[in-house]
């Protein structure tokens, strides 16, 4: 069985994330495609006014519903502490000892991959699927691929597709200031508005009635 994994903080999940997932699904044709939001990001703190992890999980279930072959998993919510990809791969390997694992990452992550916790273990268990722009971006992703292949005998596939231009940082900034950003699924946007996620504390509705 072919199992694809696509993880991240998805804070919030936007059209860019969904398009990448759709491209990966079409490219890999996996038997099981897991979208795995992290509980606590391993290398950074969540931005100020970010919603709780359970809300990001709920938003992912809304946003990725259009990727019909994918399932949103709470696997990283079942562990305590930061959500290291190596631990997730270990959990999946225990559940699926004989199956092929494919880890989908953005080309920007490729350059810091050797800084990931236990990255050699990840490479020993997974084929990396690196999502790169169709316009080629530059030769740098190819250089990074060759470096990992030489240094760690990594198995790497390049997925070229036309991404949706969306920035989680810019979306959060717009939401924090009460603006409606482009790049969000309408139902995700409604969920955010109803719960006043990402809004600056002083701008949130006073629900006490005082």
């Amino acid at each position: 069985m072919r199992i694809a994994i696509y993880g991240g903080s998805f804070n919030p999940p936007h059209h860019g994330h969904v398009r990448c997932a759709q491209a990966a699904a079409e490219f890999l044709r996996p038997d099981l495609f897991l979208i795995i939001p992290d509980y606590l990001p391993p290398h950074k703190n969540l931005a100020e006014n970010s919603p709780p992890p359970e809300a990001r999980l709920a938003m992912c279930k809304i946003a990725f519903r259009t990727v019909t072959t994918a399932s949103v998993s709470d696997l990283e919510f079942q562990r305590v502490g930061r959500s290291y990809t190596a631990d997730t791969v270990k959990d999946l390997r225990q559940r699926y000892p004989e199956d092929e694992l494919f880890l989908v990452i953005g080309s920007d992550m490729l350059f810091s991959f050797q800084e990931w916790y236990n990255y050699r273990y990840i490479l020993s268990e997974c084929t990396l699927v690196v999502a790169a722009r169709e316009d080629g971006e530059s030769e740098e992703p190819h250089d990074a691929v060759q470096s990992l292949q030489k240094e760690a005998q990594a198995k790497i596939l390049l997925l070229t597709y036309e991404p949706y231009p969306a920035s989680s940082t810019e979306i959060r900034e717009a939401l924090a200031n009460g603006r409606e950003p482009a790049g969000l699924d309408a139902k995700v946007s409604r969920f955010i508005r109803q719960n006043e996620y990402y809004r600056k504390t002083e701008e949130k509705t006073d629900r006490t009635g005082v």
Side-chain angles (χ1 to χ4, degrees), residues 3-70:
I3 302 172
I5 310 158
Y6 180 37
S9 56
F10 302 120
N11 189 31
H14 53 62
H15 291 330
H17 298 130
V18 174
R19 183 169 292 180
C20 180
Q22 289 172 331
E26 293 170 4
F27 178 65
L28 292 170
R29 302 288 181 184
D31 300 290
L32 178 63
F33 189 4
L34 298 176
I35 309 292
I36 307 181
D38 52 33
Y39 184 77
L40 287 176
H43 302 302
K44 62 181 179 181
N45 293 321
L46 289 171
E48 186 179 3
N49 298 319
S50 292
E54 292 76 12
R56 289 187 289 107
L57 179 68
M59 287 189 288
C60 283
K61 290 180 178 180
I62 298 170
F64 289 102
R65 73 189 186 283
T66 57
V67 186
T68 56
T69 58

Side-chain angles (χ1 to χ4, degrees), residues 9-208:
S9 56
F10 302 120
N11 189 31
H14 53 62
H15 291 330
H17 298 130
V18 174
R19 183 169 292 180
C20 180
Q22 289 172 331
E26 293 170 4
F27 178 65
L28 292 170
R29 302 288 181 184
D31 300 290
L32 178 63
F33 189 4
L34 298 176
I35 309 292
I36 307 181
D38 52 33
Y39 184 77
L40 287 176
H43 302 302
K44 62 181 179 181
N45 293 321
L46 289 171
E48 186 179 3
N49 298 319
S50 292
E54 292 76 12
R56 289 187 289 107
L57 179 68
M59 287 189 288
C60 283
K61 290 180 178 180
I62 298 170
F64 289 102
R65 73 189 186 283
T66 57
V67 186
T68 56
T69 58
S71 301
V72 175
S73 170
D74 66 352
L75 179 61
E76 293 186 351
F77 286 61
Q78 299 170 23
R79 299 196 303 265
V80 177
R82 293 194 176 272
S83 303
Y84 291 104
T85 300
D87 293 336
T88 299
V89 171
K90 183 177 180 180
D91 288 343
L92 290 171
R93 180 50 75 206
Q94 290 174 345
R95 298 183 190 194
Y96 305 101
E98 303 299 328
D99 299 297
E100 287 186 279
L101 300 180
F102 297 83
L103 177 63
V104 180
I105 66 171
S107 58
D108 57 324
M109 297 182 186
L110 191 63
F111 306 113
S112 61
F113 194 82
Q114 288 158 299
E115 299 173 11
W116 288 27
Y117 169 70
N118 213 355
Y119 78 96
R120 286 180 175 274
Y121 172 75
I122 298 172
L123 294 176
S124 72
E125 298 294 336
C126 298
T127 296
L128 285 190
V129 181
V130 180
R133 297 173 60 95
E134 284 185 345
D135 61 16
E137 295 177 313
S138 71
E139 293 302 315
E140 291 180 358
H142 298 279
D143 294 341
V145 165
Q146 291 177 357
S147 175
L148 273 179
Q149 288 172 330
K150 181 178 180 180
E151 189 262 338
Q153 292 74 54
K155 301 180 293 292
I156 302 176
L157 300 174
L158 280 178
L159 164 62
T160 56
Y161 75 112
E162 183 57 40
Y164 183 95
S167 162
S168 295
T169 300
E170 292 177 1
I171 288 173
R172 288 194 300 268
E173 289 176 353
L175 292 168
N177 290 288
R179 301 194 307 273
E180 188 72 19
L184 288 181
D185 180 280
K187 291 186 177 181
V188 171
S189 183
R190 187 179 309 119
F191 180 87
I192 290 171
R193 289 198 310 273
Q194 289 174 343
N195 292 281
E196 296 190 317
Y197 292 137
Y198 302 104
R199 296 289 295 275
K200 293 178 180 177
T201 303
E202 62 272 15
E203 293 184 5
K204 290 186 177 180
T205 302
D206 183 353
R207 298 183 182 273
T208 65

